[in-house]
């Protein structure tokens, strides 16, 4: 009986192998499968102004996995122009095995952009975006449409863009805010390789009646849980945003400061999340302990990684938040 069963099992396995070999192979992976990455991402933004070749030479590429150049937007006709030094910056990053994307739109994009993304106008815009990505060898495009730019046209725009990028095996990512997350459809979310959560700016100089921290640990947890649990986006496709800057509230205080300016001005500030400036007000930001705690949270949740706005806000040496991120994720 045992011999017969083994023979039958072998026959079945051979038959299954023949059937499997006879099936046509899948020609292309899905957008997400095609660009999936198992590494913990450290996505850093840098500004698109100045000489990008010279500016990028100041970055520590060993500590990031993706570089988003922000923001590169079209003119009123939908045409794109390369910033000064772009070729050198891309080459330097990719030589260091860092993927480079150009980030589109932003928190304060040109007003005419809203018209360009409409279904009746966006074919040319999307074509130009993809051709620009091809021409300069970008690894993908990061969409940072925010606020009322996320409207009834968003899903169609993202879908069209995805359809052109997917065959080219280029990444399509997005930066999203939780406060208007319900305006983004599940279909649109499914098109992104990964999604960077802007887990900051919960208040700021635009809302002086609500002074306080704009990016607490608890708000980061709530933001992540919204996209992961409420919206059912896999943790591995979510990247948690970290601020390298702070906001000041008060009668006579600078409203926006880079982290490096804060720690170089106020002794001991790297270990706290706020500084009281006598007779001026209070500055709120993320110091080393909070950044470390957020990275540990992302690791515990098996998140796709973390995102930084923006790289040049960091301090050097022992105060570097980027170094803290890398030490924590190891």
């Amino acid at each position: 009986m045992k011999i017969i069963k083994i023979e039958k099992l072998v026959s079945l396995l051979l038959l299954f192998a023949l059937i499997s070999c006879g099936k046509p192979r899948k020609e292309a992976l899905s957008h997400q499968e095609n660009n999936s990455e198992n590494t913990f991402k450290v996505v850093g933004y840098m500004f698109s102004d100045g000489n990008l070749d010279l500016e990028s030479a100041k970055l520590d590429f060993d500590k990031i996995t993706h570089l988003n150049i922000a923001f590169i937007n079209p003119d009123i006709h939908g045409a794109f122009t390369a910033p000064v030094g772009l070729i050198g910056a891309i080459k330097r990053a990719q030589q260091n095995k860092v993927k480079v994307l150009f980030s589109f739109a932003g928190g304060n994009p040109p007003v005419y952009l809203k018209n360009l993304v409409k279904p009746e106008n966006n074919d040319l815009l999307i074509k130009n975006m993809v051709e620009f990505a091809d021409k300069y060898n970008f690894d993908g495009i990061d969409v940072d449409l925010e606020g009322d730019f996320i409207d009834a046209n968003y899903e169609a725009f993202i879908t069209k863009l995805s359809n052109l990028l997917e065959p080219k095996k280029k990444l399509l990512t997005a930066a999203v805010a939780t406060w208007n997350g319900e305006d983004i459809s599940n279909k649109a979310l499914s098109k992104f390789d990964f999604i960077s959560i802007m887990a900051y700016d919960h208040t700021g100089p635009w809302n002086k009646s609500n002074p306080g921290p704009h990016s607490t640990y608890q708000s980061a947890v709530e933001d992540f849980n919204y996209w992961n649990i409420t919206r059912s986006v896999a943790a591995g496709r979510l990247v948690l945003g970290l601020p390298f800057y702070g906001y000041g509230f008060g009668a006579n205080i600078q409203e926006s400061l880079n982290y490096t300016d804060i720690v170089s001005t106020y002794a001991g500030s790297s270990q706290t999340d706020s500084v009281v400036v006598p007779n001026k007000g209070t500055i709120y930001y993320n110091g080393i302990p909070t950044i470390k705690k957020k990275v540990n949270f992302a690791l515990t949740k098996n998140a796709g990684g973390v995102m930084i706005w923006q790289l040049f806000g960091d301090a050097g040496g022992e105060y570097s938040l980027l170094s803290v991120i890398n030490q924590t994720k190891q």
Side-chain angles (χ1 to χ4, degrees):
M1 290 293 292
K2 288 182 179 179
I3 294 175
I4 293 173
K5 287 182 178 179
I6 291 170
E7 288 176 346
K8 285 184 177 180
L9 178 60
V10 171
S11 298
L12 287 171
L13 288 172
L14 288 171
L15 179 61
F16 177 77
L18 289 171
I19 293 171
S20 297
C21 291
K23 288 182 179 179
R25 293 188 177 184
K26 193 175 182 182
E27 291 300 322
L29 296 171
S30 72
H31 195 65
Q32 280 73 35
E33 292 171 326
N34 196 36
N35 290 301
S36 64
E37 298 166 295
N38 295 320
T39 57
F40 187 84
K41 302 174 188 66
V42 180
V43 182
Y45 281 84
M46 71 174 287
F47 294 120
S48 62
D49 52 3
N51 186 315
L52 297 187
D53 189 16
L54 298 179
E55 291 299 303
S56 66
K58 303 173 185 176
L59 298 175
D60 188 346
F61 287 105
D62 289 337
K63 290 185 172 68
I64 62 174
T65 60
H66 296 70
L67 176 65
N68 289 353
I69 299 177
F71 294 96
I72 301 180
N73 286 317
D75 63 20
I76 197 169
H77 304 293
F80 287 82
T81 301
V84 175
L86 178 63
I87 293 174
I90 294 173
K91 183 178 180 181
R92 179 177 289 106
Q94 292 174 339
Q95 285 176 340
N96 284 278
K97 299 181 180 179
V98 170
K99 295 187 176 181
V100 188
L101 298 84
F102 78 85
S103 193
F104 167 79
N108 187 29
V111 175
Y112 57 77
L113 199 59
K114 190 172 289 187
N115 185 56
L116 290 178
V117 300
K118 290 181 179 179
E120 61 268 26
N121 300 328
N122 66 22
D123 284 342
L124 177 62
L125 173 64
I126 292 170
K127 174 177 174 289
N128 289 345
M129 290 175 73
V130 176
E131 287 180 352
F132 185 73
D134 277 339
K135 180 177 180 180
Y136 291 98
N137 197 33
F138 280 102
D139 295 290
I141 298 174
D142 175 62
V143 177
D144 192 13
L145 288 167
E146 301 181 24
D148 61 2
F149 277 77
I150 299 178
D151 54 20
N153 302 315
Y154 186 85
E155 180 184 296
F157 175 78
I158 295 302
T159 301
K160 284 184 183 180
L161 183 56
S162 174
N163 289 341
L164 288 185
L165 288 176
E166 184 175 350
K168 297 175 179 292
K169 300 182 179 179
K170 290 189 181 291
L171 294 167
L172 176 59
T173 69
V176 299
T178 303
W179 68 269
N180 66 336
E182 291 300 321
D183 295 331
I184 303 177
S185 69
N186 289 335
K187 180 178 179 181
L189 289 175
S190 73
K191 301 299 180 181
F192 299 116
D193 291 287
F194 63 85
I195 296 163
S196 294
I197 304 168
M198 294 187 285
Y200 40 70
D201 286 3
H202 288 281
T203 189
W206 59 89
N207 191 9
K208 293 182 180 181
S209 63
N210 185 30
H214 71 98
S215 183
T216 65
Y217 172 78
Q218 185 57 40
S219 66
V221 171
E222 292 170 359
D223 284 341
F224 184 88
N225 287 342
Y226 169 77
W227 296 100
N228 180 222
I229 299 173
T230 305
R231 299 304 305 274
S232 301
V233 179
R237 292 180 55 228
L238 293 174
V239 173
L240 184 65
L242 307 174
F244 278 18
Y245 63 93
Y247 290 132
F249 288 91
N252 185 25
I253 196 169
Q254 189 172 337
E255 292 184 340
S256 181
L257 304 89
N258 283 331
Y259 168 77
T260 183
D261 297 325
I262 297 170
V263 297
S264 64
T265 304
Y266 305 102
S269 56
S270 66
Q271 298 301 314
T272 66
D273 288 341
S274 65
V275 171
V276 176
V277 185
N279 303 316
K280 290 190 176 181
T282 304
I283 302 167
Y284 299 94
Y285 56 97
N286 279 184
I288 288 174
T290 296
I291 291 295
K292 186 180 294 185
K293 192 175 180 181
K294 288 182 178 181
V295 175
N296 276 322
F297 170 77
L299 290 166
T300 301
K301 291 295 183 178
N302 295 314
V306 295
M307 173 269 282
I308 297 152
W309 181 270
Q310 49 84 24
L311 289 168
F312 288 109
D314 197 17
E318 63 181 309
Y319 302 124
S320 169
L321 297 180
L322 185 57
S323 293
V324 169
I325 291 168
N326 277 264
Q327 291 161 7
T328 305
K329 74 182 183 67
Q330 289 177 355

mmCIF file of all heavy atoms in Angstrom, residues 11 31 54 74 79 90 132 147-148 150 152 165 191 216 219 268 277 298:
data_model
loop_
_atom_site.group_PDB
_atom_site.id
_atom_site.type_symbol
_atom_site.label_atom_id
_atom_site.label_comp_id
_atom_site.label_asym_id
_atom_site.label_seq_id
_atom_site.Cartn_x
_atom_site.Cartn_y
_atom_site.Cartn_z
ATOM 1 N N SER A 11 3.357 10.383 -9.540
ATOM 2 C CA SER A 11 2.639 10.614 -10.794
ATOM 3 C C SER A 11 1.890 11.939 -10.761
ATOM 4 O O SER A 11 1.889 12.696 -11.736
ATOM 5 C CB SER A 11 1.650 9.462 -11.048
ATOM 6 O OG SER A 11 2.343 8.243 -11.186
ATOM 7 N N HIS A 31 1.950 46.870 -10.496
ATOM 8 C CA HIS A 31 2.772 48.048 -10.195
ATOM 9 C C HIS A 31 3.475 47.893 -8.852
ATOM 10 O O HIS A 31 4.668 48.135 -8.735
ATOM 11 C CB HIS A 31 1.879 49.288 -10.184
ATOM 12 C CG HIS A 31 2.634 50.566 -10.242
ATOM 13 N ND1 HIS A 31 3.392 50.920 -11.327
ATOM 14 C CD2 HIS A 31 2.769 51.564 -9.343
ATOM 15 C CE1 HIS A 31 3.952 52.104 -11.104
ATOM 16 N NE2 HIS A 31 3.588 52.507 -9.903
ATOM 17 N N LEU A 54 25.674 70.957 -6.803
ATOM 18 C CA LEU A 54 26.458 71.398 -5.655
ATOM 19 C C LEU A 54 25.757 71.078 -4.332
ATOM 20 O O LEU A 54 26.395 70.657 -3.362
ATOM 21 C CB LEU A 54 26.713 72.907 -5.749
ATOM 22 C CG LEU A 54 27.518 73.389 -6.967
ATOM 23 C CD1 LEU A 54 27.663 74.909 -6.938
ATOM 24 C CD2 LEU A 54 28.893 72.716 -7.002
ATOM 25 N N PRO A 74 5.328 72.127 -13.755
ATOM 26 C CA PRO A 74 5.320 72.603 -15.143
ATOM 27 C C PRO A 74 4.987 74.085 -15.237
ATOM 28 O O PRO A 74 4.543 74.704 -14.261
ATOM 29 C CB PRO A 74 4.200 71.764 -15.768
ATOM 30 C CG PRO A 74 3.226 71.581 -14.631
ATOM 31 C CD PRO A 74 4.090 71.414 -13.408
ATOM 32 N N ALA A 79 4.626 72.250 -19.613
ATOM 33 C CA ALA A 79 5.985 71.872 -19.986
ATOM 34 C C ALA A 79 6.917 71.945 -18.776
ATOM 35 O O ALA A 79 6.774 72.831 -17.918
ATOM 36 C CB ALA A 79 6.503 72.779 -21.092
ATOM 37 N N ILE A 90 21.270 63.717 -9.858
ATOM 38 C CA ILE A 90 20.717 62.376 -10.089
ATOM 39 C C ILE A 90 21.827 61.350 -10.225
ATOM 40 O O ILE A 90 21.774 60.259 -9.630
ATOM 41 C CB ILE A 90 19.809 62.376 -11.341
ATOM 42 C CG1 ILE A 90 18.575 63.240 -11.107
ATOM 43 C CG2 ILE A 90 19.404 60.953 -11.710
ATOM 44 C CD1 ILE A 90 17.706 63.427 -12.329
ATOM 45 N N PHE A 132 9.642 63.620 -19.009
ATOM 46 C CA PHE A 132 10.647 64.303 -18.193
ATOM 47 C C PHE A 132 11.371 63.291 -17.291
ATOM 48 O O PHE A 132 12.592 63.330 -17.149
ATOM 49 C CB PHE A 132 9.968 65.383 -17.350
ATOM 50 C CG PHE A 132 10.910 66.243 -16.557
ATOM 51 C CD1 PHE A 132 11.699 67.199 -17.182
ATOM 52 C CD2 PHE A 132 10.992 66.109 -15.174
ATOM 53 C CE1 PHE A 132 12.562 68.004 -16.445
ATOM 54 C CE2 PHE A 132 11.842 66.907 -14.435
ATOM 55 C CZ PHE A 132 12.638 67.851 -15.072
ATOM 56 N N GLY A 147 -4.439 69.503 0.011
ATOM 57 C CA GLY A 147 -5.586 70.382 0.240
ATOM 58 C C GLY A 147 -6.670 70.239 -0.810
ATOM 59 O O GLY A 147 -7.073 69.140 -1.178
ATOM 60 N N ASP A 148 -7.153 71.387 -1.324
ATOM 61 C CA ASP A 148 -8.246 71.335 -2.292
ATOM 62 C C ASP A 148 -7.788 70.929 -3.687
ATOM 63 O O ASP A 148 -8.601 70.855 -4.613
ATOM 64 C CB ASP A 148 -9.012 72.664 -2.332
ATOM 65 C CG ASP A 148 -8.136 73.838 -2.748
ATOM 66 O OD1 ASP A 148 -6.940 73.633 -3.048
ATOM 67 O OD2 ASP A 148 -8.647 74.973 -2.764
ATOM 68 N N ILE A 150 -6.752 67.987 -4.028
ATOM 69 C CA ILE A 150 -7.281 66.618 -4.025
ATOM 70 C C ILE A 150 -8.793 66.735 -4.145
ATOM 71 O O ILE A 150 -9.510 66.975 -3.171
ATOM 72 C CB ILE A 150 -6.885 65.868 -2.744
ATOM 73 C CG1 ILE A 150 -5.364 65.778 -2.632
ATOM 74 C CG2 ILE A 150 -7.491 64.467 -2.743
ATOM 75 C CD1 ILE A 150 -4.872 65.106 -1.378
ATOM 76 N N ALA A 152 -12.273 65.833 -7.203
ATOM 77 C CA ALA A 152 -12.874 64.775 -8.023
ATOM 78 C C ALA A 152 -11.968 64.328 -9.170
ATOM 79 O O ALA A 152 -12.196 63.273 -9.768
ATOM 80 C CB ALA A 152 -14.212 65.259 -8.574
ATOM 81 N N LEU A 165 3.534 54.922 -16.085
ATOM 82 C CA LEU A 165 4.766 54.638 -15.347
ATOM 83 C C LEU A 165 4.994 53.144 -15.139
ATOM 84 O O LEU A 165 6.133 52.674 -15.150
ATOM 85 C CB LEU A 165 4.742 55.337 -13.985
ATOM 86 C CG LEU A 165 4.895 56.852 -13.986
ATOM 87 C CD1 LEU A 165 4.758 57.392 -12.560
ATOM 88 C CD2 LEU A 165 6.236 57.272 -14.573
ATOM 89 N N LYS A 191 -2.713 52.624 -6.398
ATOM 90 C CA LYS A 191 -1.790 52.856 -7.509
ATOM 91 C C LYS A 191 -0.375 53.225 -7.055
ATOM 92 O O LYS A 191 0.557 53.203 -7.855
ATOM 93 C CB LYS A 191 -2.328 53.965 -8.429
ATOM 94 C CG LYS A 191 -3.697 53.676 -9.044
ATOM 95 C CD LYS A 191 -3.655 52.440 -9.917
ATOM 96 C CE LYS A 191 -5.015 52.150 -10.525
ATOM 97 N NZ LYS A 191 -4.992 50.921 -11.374
ATOM 98 N N THR A 216 3.518 65.425 17.371
ATOM 99 C CA THR A 216 3.795 64.609 18.552
ATOM 100 C C THR A 216 3.910 63.136 18.184
ATOM 101 O O THR A 216 3.495 62.704 17.098
ATOM 102 C CB THR A 216 2.677 64.754 19.591
ATOM 103 O OG1 THR A 216 1.456 64.219 19.040
ATOM 104 C CG2 THR A 216 2.469 66.202 19.992
ATOM 105 N N SER A 219 0.313 61.796 17.785
ATOM 106 C CA SER A 219 -0.336 62.135 16.508
ATOM 107 C C SER A 219 0.245 61.305 15.366
ATOM 108 O O SER A 219 -0.467 60.953 14.415
ATOM 109 C CB SER A 219 -0.196 63.630 16.209
ATOM 110 O OG SER A 219 1.153 63.996 15.985
ATOM 111 N N GLY A 268 20.982 72.237 24.894
ATOM 112 C CA GLY A 268 20.174 71.130 25.403
ATOM 113 C C GLY A 268 18.903 70.866 24.648
ATOM 114 O O GLY A 268 18.152 69.937 24.982
ATOM 115 N N VAL A 277 11.417 80.651 24.752
ATOM 116 C CA VAL A 277 12.294 81.801 24.543
ATOM 117 C C VAL A 277 11.746 82.962 25.367
ATOM 118 O O VAL A 277 10.646 83.459 25.077
ATOM 119 C CB VAL A 277 12.357 82.180 23.046
ATOM 120 C CG1 VAL A 277 13.367 83.307 22.846
ATOM 121 C CG2 VAL A 277 12.719 80.970 22.194
ATOM 122 N N ALA A 298 7.698 52.763 13.841
ATOM 123 C CA ALA A 298 7.620 52.323 12.444
ATOM 124 C C ALA A 298 8.190 50.906 12.291
ATOM 125 O O ALA A 298 7.633 50.066 11.565
ATOM 126 C CB ALA A 298 8.362 53.296 11.539
#
